[in-house]
Each structure stands twice: as C-alpha cells, then as structure tokens.
C-alpha cells in the first residue's frame, strides 16, 4: 500500500509537495543537522537503527537515493555537528527530501510509542515531577544523551539541561511528524529553522 502512495518517489504527490519549497544552499547546509537530530530522537525512543531506515527507504521506493548502509552513514555524517571527517559529503536536496520521508514514515510506524511517551511527559508536568524518573522517558533520555555525546562535536559545549530540553522538544516534534501530512510539517520546520 505504501509503495502505491509513494511509487516512483521522484513523481509522487508527496514528493511534489516537498518540491514546492526550495531551500537555498545555506539552508540546505543547516537542514543536515536538523534531520540527523530527528533520526537520533527516533533511534533513542524506538531503538531503531540503520536496518529500519533502509527498510523504510525500500517501502517508500527510495532505494535509488539511499541504497545501502554506507550511503545512509555518509548522509548522516554530513551533519556538521558530527565527529569525524570520514563520511562527510554534501547533502543534496533529493537526499534531504528522502530523509524527511523516511523520518516521517518511521515516526508513523512508532506513533503509539511516541504518544505514550508524550502522555508520560504531560503527566510529569501536571504532577510537577521529574520526567526522567519515569522508566520510559528515563530510558529515552539516557539513550539520546549518550548517543548525542558519542556522535557530536559540540559534546562539551552543551549542558545536560540543554540536551534534555532538546531531547524532549524533538520528542514532541515527532508526534507532529507521525501524523498525516507529517512530511510537509517536517520539511517546513526544517526550512524555517535553517533560516535562524
């Protein structure tokens, strides 16, 4: 069913919708970081890895853009915050769109889990309790913080409080990206954030 909706990614209605808003070169550079962080939040919450991302690429008929783990790794390494120089490459607009579609596809697959996490976050806020004391949110925060500190260059420049705020902001964002039209919301959010 998904293959029909996204058949031939280069000419699908979803792809055409993403084509309407064209980022300039500077925006595209900034978008790399944001997409990688969205994927990092999904990884941390749902425990997914590159295999799930490649399966999503296959289901969305995007194998020509992201055919294997090496390509996926190189695209994610294009995030300027990432440690290491080995895989860096420029992210082109087609690859950015592909990662947006994959991110939203995976968010939709894990929507129930995302909703549960958001419910727990809201309960913690209502009860004026620390969210990390809830097992699910604590596990998410640990996974997010550890992965961020392991992969990103600015690991010494970000406080634990800021990292926690980033993790929870991305969690809330995932709920929007998992809904119908999530790909459009994510693309517009990426364009908006890339101008700041």
């Amino acid at each position: 069913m998904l293959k029909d909706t996204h058949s031939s990614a280069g000419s699908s209605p979803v792809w055409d919708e993403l084509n309407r808003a064209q980022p300039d070169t500077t925006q595209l550079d900034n978008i790399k970081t944001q997409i990688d962080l969205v994927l990092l939040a999904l990884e941390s919450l749902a425990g997914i890895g590159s295999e799930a991302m490649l399966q999503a690429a296959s289901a969305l008929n995007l194998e020509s853009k992201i055919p294997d783990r090496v390509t996926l790794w190189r695209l994610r390494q294009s995030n300027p915050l990432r440690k290491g120089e080995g895989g860096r490459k420029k992210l082109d607009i087609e690859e950015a769109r592909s990662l947006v579609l994959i991110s939203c596809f995976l968010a939709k697959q894990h929507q129930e889990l995302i909703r549960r996490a958001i419910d727990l976050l809201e309960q913690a806020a209502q009860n004026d309790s620390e969210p990390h004391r809830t097992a699910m949110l604590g596990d998410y925060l640990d996974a997010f913080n550890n992965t961020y500190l392991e992969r990103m260059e600015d690991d010494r420049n970000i406080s634990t409080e800021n990292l926690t705020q980033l993790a929870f902001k991305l969690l809330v964002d995932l709920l929007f990206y998992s809904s119908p039209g999530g790909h459009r919301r994510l693309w517009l959010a990426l364009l908006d954030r890339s101008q700041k």
Side-chain angles (χ1 to χ4, degrees), residues 171-195:
L171 181 60
V172 172
D173 289 349
L174 285 176
L175 184 61
F176 292 105
Y177 305 152
S178 70
S179 63
H183 61 279
R184 186 173 186 278
R185 280 192 183 103
L186 176 52
W187 188 245
L188 293 175
L190 290 170
L191 291 174
D192 182 52
R193 289 176 195 155
S194 70
Q195 293 173 326

Side-chain angles (χ1 to χ4, degrees), residues 78-92:
S78 70
N79 171 359
L81 291 183
R82 286 270 190 150
K83 291 178 179 173
E85 299 293 324
R88 288 239 170 105
K89 75 177 282 296
K90 283 193 176 258
L91 183 73
D92 71 33

Side-chain angles (χ1 to χ4, degrees), residues 46-66:
I48 62 169
S50 57
E51 191 56 42
M53 293 175 202
L54 291 172
Q55 286 172 0
S58 176
L60 294 167
N61 212 13
L62 296 171
E63 296 103 323
S64 63
K65 309 281 185 240
I66 304 172

Side-chain angles (χ1 to χ4, degrees), residues 112-126 134 136-137 171 175:
E112 187 179 321
L113 183 65
I114 295 166
R115 283 189 186 281
R116 227 175 337 153
I118 296 295
D119 287 343
L120 290 170
L121 192 57
E122 288 174 348
Q123 286 172 25
Q126 287 171 357
T134 308
M136 181 183 198
L137 294 177
L171 181 60
L175 184 61

